[in-house]
Amino acid sequence: MSLLIVCPGRDPENWIETIRKKDSAIECYAYPEDHQKEDVEFALTWNHPRGIFKNYPNLKVIASMGAGVDHILSDPALPDDIQITRVVDDKMTEDMSNFVLTQALARLRKIQDYTKHQTEKKWDRTQYGRPQDTKIGIMGLGVLGDAVAEKLHKNNFQVYAWSRTEKDCQNITCFHGKEQMEEFLSHAEILVCLLPLTEDTRNILNADLFDMLPEGAYVINVARGEHLVEHDLLEMIDNGHLSGASLDVFREEPLPDEHPFWEHEKINITPHIASLTSPESVVPQIIENYDRMMDGKPLRHEVELEKGY
């Protein structure tokens, strides 16, 4: 039996080398090199070609290379009775927490404004904000959302959080369900999106939601580009209701050269780097799940398909 890596646009060599170093007994191939499709039972993937996995009659498990699985679940031609797993990694979780904290502090200290002033040779001081005086809202209380909320609390922010179902987090004011969304949003001077991408959350960052935020609120999206209705964000910034946004994810990546986000002075762009997967850190859990599959044991970090995460 063999493991297949499918990651168009990415170099799979580091993954292959790391897997072979950790367990030389695993027969590993990188798509589209020659391999026997009948031998493949486990696939490790990111943004696979749609419909490809229907060609593997004995495939049992599709493992995401990252925390997100929407790139897998969006394929309408997935094999029946397939198991799907995602990555849960302490290093990636810490990276995400640090990134969101960095963006929130940069907003309070107006770093983007001063970067612009530097290009203009403009010496202009303005008053900054402080974490203890700032209410920040986290949408999504999964592994990443929990960690981000805790990091922000430890750095003295007033933290609020919203999730689909009821959660009880120490030191965090929690809301849940559609009926509590508006109350949650009314507190979010900075709004952070860490939701999984599902049919319910697609386009959730829209004009109606933004309108429920306090005047001058700031948006940080580190989840998925499809959460955001882009023209709604631009309109709400340009009419003054939102003060700006920090975006790490986009509907189309890389962001096209002609996209209006590039030159908007109130939008900060980073190229999907809030939390990057390290093969050295992640491969041990991939190999563990491969062994569990071979032994008929329950998989770790398996996705609940009906929920989409």
Side-chain angles (χ1 to χ4, degrees), residues 15-202:
W15 288 92
I16 294 173
E17 291 177 4
T18 306
I19 290 170
R20 288 174 176 166
K21 183 171 66 174
K22 299 289 185 183
D23 189 340
S24 59
I26 296 178
E27 196 169 3
C28 188
Y29 298 95
Y31 178 87
E33 71 174 302
D34 288 339
H35 59 279
Q36 294 296 319
K37 291 182 173 62
E38 293 78 10
D39 291 344
V40 175
E41 290 189 330
F42 193 106
L44 176 62
T45 188
W46 191 265
N47 284 335
H48 67 276
R50 306 295 87 174
I52 185 178
F53 292 128
K54 279 289 190 180
N55 300 322
Y56 294 85
N58 297 314
L59 185 65
K60 297 177 181 177
V61 178
I62 302 175
S64 174
M65 286 178 162
V69 292
D70 49 281
H71 61 101
I72 299 173
L73 297 179
S74 61
D75 185 351
L78 288 176
D80 296 331
D81 300 320
I82 200 75
Q83 293 176 280
I84 297 173
T85 65
R86 62 191 180 92
V87 164
V88 177
D89 179 65
D90 289 344
K91 290 181 180 178
M92 292 176 65
T93 301
E94 180 70 9
D95 290 347
M96 178 62 77
S97 301
N98 287 335
F99 182 85
V100 173
L101 174 63
T102 299
Q103 297 303 309
L105 290 174
R107 170 59 188 161
L108 293 187
R109 297 306 299 254
K110 304 189 177 179
I111 299 301
Q112 189 174 1
D113 293 345
Y114 290 122
T115 300
K116 181 174 181 290
H117 291 173
Q118 181 175 342
T119 64
E120 300 169 347
K121 300 180 181 179
K122 181 179 179 181
W123 189 271
D124 186 13
R125 296 174 178 173
T126 56
Q127 186 60 51
Y128 49 80
R130 294 182 174 86
Q132 58 266 36
D133 300 325
T134 304
K135 297 175 181 177
I136 190 164
I138 311 297
M139 295 183 72
L141 275 176
V143 173
L144 295 177
D146 279 343
V148 169
E150 182 62 22
K151 174 76 74 170
L152 293 167
H153 166 72
K154 287 181 177 178
N155 283 273
N156 300 317
F157 283 90
Q158 300 176 46
V159 184
Y160 298 77
W162 179 89
S163 55
R164 184 180 63 85
T165 57
E166 187 172 4
K167 302 285 179 69
D168 184 16
C169 300
Q170 190 175 7
N171 303 315
I172 310 299
T173 303
C174 292
F175 299 85
H176 70 279
K178 292 181 179 179
E179 66 280 0
Q180 295 185 6
M181 173 71 83
E182 185 170 359
E183 185 181 358
F184 158 74
L185 291 170
S186 70
H187 295 285
E189 296 168 333
I190 297 176
L191 179 70
V192 181
C193 182
L194 275 161
L195 292 166
L197 183 64
T198 67
E199 286 308 307
D200 288 336
T201 66
R202 191 180 304 274

Side-chain angles (χ1 to χ4, degrees), residues 107-108 110 134-135 185-191 210-220 236-237 239-245 266:
R107 170 59 188 161
L108 293 187
K110 304 189 177 179
T134 304
K135 297 175 181 177
L185 291 170
S186 70
H187 295 285
E189 296 168 333
I190 297 176
L191 179 70
F210 295 147
D211 197 49
M212 290 184 274
L213 293 170
E215 189 86 12
Y218 188 81
V219 175
I220 298 174
M236 296 298 270
I237 292 175
N239 71 21
H241 182 70
L242 297 178
S243 60
K266 294 184 178 180

Side-chain angles (χ1 to χ4, degrees), residues 284-302:
Q285 66 182 266
I286 301 298
I287 291 176
E288 180 184 355
N289 267 344
Y290 180 87
D291 291 340
R292 283 173 172 268
M293 177 200 70
M294 296 296 289
D295 295 338
K297 295 180 179 179
L299 303 179
R300 296 186 64 215
H301 312 313
E302 185 173 356

